[in-house]
Amino acid sequence: MSSVVAPDVLREWDGLLLRVSEGERDEIARPVREAGTVLRGPADESAVVELEARLGVALPPSYRSFLLRSDGAWAQPGWGLVGSYHPPDTGNGLAGLGLLDAAQVGWFRDREPSYVADWTLGPSLDGLPGHPAFRPPVREVQYLDHERSAEENKVGHLWYALQVSSDFDGYTILLNPLVVDPSGEWEAWDFGSKTLGGTRYPSFSSLLAADLRQLRQQLDRRAMTVGPEALERTARDEAAQDTDRFGAVAGLCHAGEGRRIVDLLLAYADPSVEIGRRQQALQLLGRVGDERALSALIAASMDPQPRIRSAVLGDLAANPHPQARAAAVSLLIADESTIGAVSPLGADAVYEAWSITGSTVLLEKLAYCGDRRAVAPLARALLDTGIPAEQYSRLLWYAAWPGDPALVPALIAAADLPDPPLQAIGEALLGLGAKDDAIPVLARALTGYLLAGQVAERLGELNHPLAIVVLVEQCRIQPTEAILRALGWTQDQAALAALTAVATDSHATPELRLAAIDGLEKMRGIPSADALALLAGQGSLDAARALARRRDNRALPYLTGLLDSTDDDLTFEAVDGLRDLRELASAPALLDTVIRHTNPDIIAAAASEVCPSHRTVTKHRRILS
């Protein structure tokens, strides 16, 4: 795979993205289509050099070449168009979408700390040497073969990943500096919370090439479809299969041609039709936007079937037509169970219905819509002890969404009610920017609380003097794995001392000692590296591996010394650690390991660092033997 992104590849990717998105109604992406490109202007060499200086590493060649041709993009591999050409100072929140520009690229742990923490919390020890979070979920020889195990992940690598795209609906693009080929290319991850992991590619250019293949396939499939006239003929052909006819109807609607077959949609929406098909037809009618479609939606809002009512509520609530609004309000009042279908565009209908009923369910939805009209009634509701616990928790979850600090006093008072949901209150306060008020609330949830580990991690992420004091004091009283890892977010000397004390405590459990080393590994700066070096000198494999991941050469003697171990598991840890360290001085020892060893995982790990193909080295080893 080329170590640069070729101009013709970039042009094809740009053009295919625009062609694939033709006919879509996505208002966010529309300005990109109008501009005629997803690419931005090239980054200056000085901007890329500044990024490398800020990160402390040289960027992988293909990604570096991409920035020099396009400083990010209003698109994301695996997703498509996701951005807008509005500049950052317009305040519309869209300018950071897609592949990031050089000024915004950063380490995943810094840009999305909660995301990283959720994925790497508390690995379970299994009796084998080395850190479970950095061990391959399959054999290493298979893990390095992206064609065989591209969806297997070493979750610990997320701590070191570089985030080069926005987090769009839970999906993001990462570059992994712990898997590097001999040409300097970093592994690329198309990572998603909804896919429970990431798909791995050998490099950024490989990721773009894979996205190109998918885009070509999409267009090939589209080319095999027929035009609107042929679709309409199929839709009206009474001799055709019903699935084919309805598929043609749906195809016309998605292509913006729904007005051609409104009569067919109305027939499919008739109460005599099977409920699933009716529901689909009504949702398609919501895309059409003429009077006949609106009348059908209004009539369906009074249907006895909840699924049918829910299918039309969102479109009715978002429609400015007075009759649509009235129907939506009536439906919201009569059946709150359908409320999930309402988007923020329907906030006025929700407010009108709430004004009539005073329902906390409707109030919750109004807050979800980010509507400031929810603030005053929310302040009252948060002090109402009669609201059921589950509903109260949802009110707290959305309390910060209107973004009004007027709710802060009510949230502080709510924390003193009997048995308050402290974590939710603290998060709402943080969402409103009231950090000094949130920390004491969260501190109370550190003990005797089911999710105390999450609370500790959140306090650590804040890296606030008051939060650090809370964590250090709690660590002194009763250290937990979560508190130790949370202290690693800080640069505080007291936190460093607390972590070092547990890591060197022979009476501490192995789980606590590993959590303390994790905290030291996360902590920035020379003092924490010194503590890890001290532990490695005392024989701690976990500390030596952490040092190597931080590219600290003090790990070299310890790891090199393990290469002669008779325990293959220890030898693999040594090879894997030297691969993380990427120190030229270790190359002869790694090459010697490749030549004399027989374990395929050890050979694959060592060879991936010192030569272009571990298969080639394995072949040479056989010849030499």
Side-chain angles (χ1 to χ4, degrees), residues 132-294:
F134 293 93
R135 196 177 299 131
V138 293
R139 297 287 298 274
E140 183 72 11
V141 70
Q142 179 180 340
Y143 187 81
L144 292 175
D145 186 346
H146 291 87
E147 293 181 4
R148 295 175 60 198
S149 60
E151 295 182 357
E152 305 286 350
N153 305 109
K154 298 178 182 179
V155 294
H157 285 189
L158 292 174
W159 277 112
Y160 291 88
L162 186 69
Q163 188 177 23
V164 300
S165 81
S166 58
D167 174 5
F168 192 80
D169 196 30
Y171 295 90
T172 191
I173 303 299
L174 306 172
L175 301 181
N176 180 11
L178 292 182
V179 180
V180 185
D181 74 11
S183 65
E185 288 292 354
W186 300 6
E187 188 177 64
W189 289 23
D190 182 359
F191 188 78
S193 59
K194 297 179 182 178
T195 54
L196 301 180
T199 302
R200 298 180 296 113
Y201 299 88
S203 65
F204 181 76
S205 58
S206 299
L207 171 66
L208 278 187
D211 198 46
L212 261 181
R213 289 193 295 272
Q214 292 180 350
L215 291 170
R216 291 185 192 119
Q217 289 169 1
Q218 282 182 260
L219 286 173
D220 287 345
R221 288 192 297 269
R222 184 178 295 180
M224 292 188 293
T225 62
V226 293
E229 292 78 11
L231 282 174
E232 185 173 358
R233 283 196 298 273
T234 300
R236 297 189 181 282
D237 183 359
E238 296 183 359
Q241 294 287 331
D242 182 67
T243 52
D244 293 334
R245 294 188 66 191
F246 191 79
V249 167
L252 285 165
C253 290
H254 290 304
E257 300 282 347
R259 288 176 181 268
R260 303 171 72 120
I261 37 83
V262 172
D263 59 317
L264 295 179
L265 282 170
L266 293 173
Y268 277 116
D270 189 85
S272 62
V273 176
E274 184 269 328
I275 188 170
R277 182 68 84 217
R278 283 187 67 205
Q279 185 176 7
Q280 292 173 312
L282 287 164
Q283 289 167 336
L284 292 172
L285 278 168
R287 302 171 67 104
V288 173
D290 72 359
E291 291 185 6
R292 291 175 296 168
L294 178 59

Side-chain angles (χ1 to χ4, degrees), residues 435-488:
K435 193 177 293 186
D436 289 344
D437 296 306
I439 291 170
V441 174
L442 292 172
R444 289 166 52 190
L446 272 179
T447 55
Y449 181 64
L450 183 62
L451 300 177
Q454 291 182 9
V455 174
E457 193 71 34
R458 191 71 169 106
L459 285 168
E461 292 167 18
L462 295 175
N463 197 16
H464 185 282
L466 180 57
I468 296 169
V469 169
V470 168
L471 289 170
V472 169
E473 177 61 19
Q474 189 58 40
C475 186
R476 184 187 65 78
I477 298 170
Q478 181 61 60
T480 66
E481 294 174 52
I483 288 174
L484 291 164
R485 291 190 174 94
L487 286 171

Side-chain angles (χ1 to χ4, degrees), residues 314-332:
D315 286 310
L316 289 173
N319 194 319
H321 194 286
Q323 288 181 316
R325 173 73 53 77
V329 170
S330 296
L331 178 49
L332 286 167

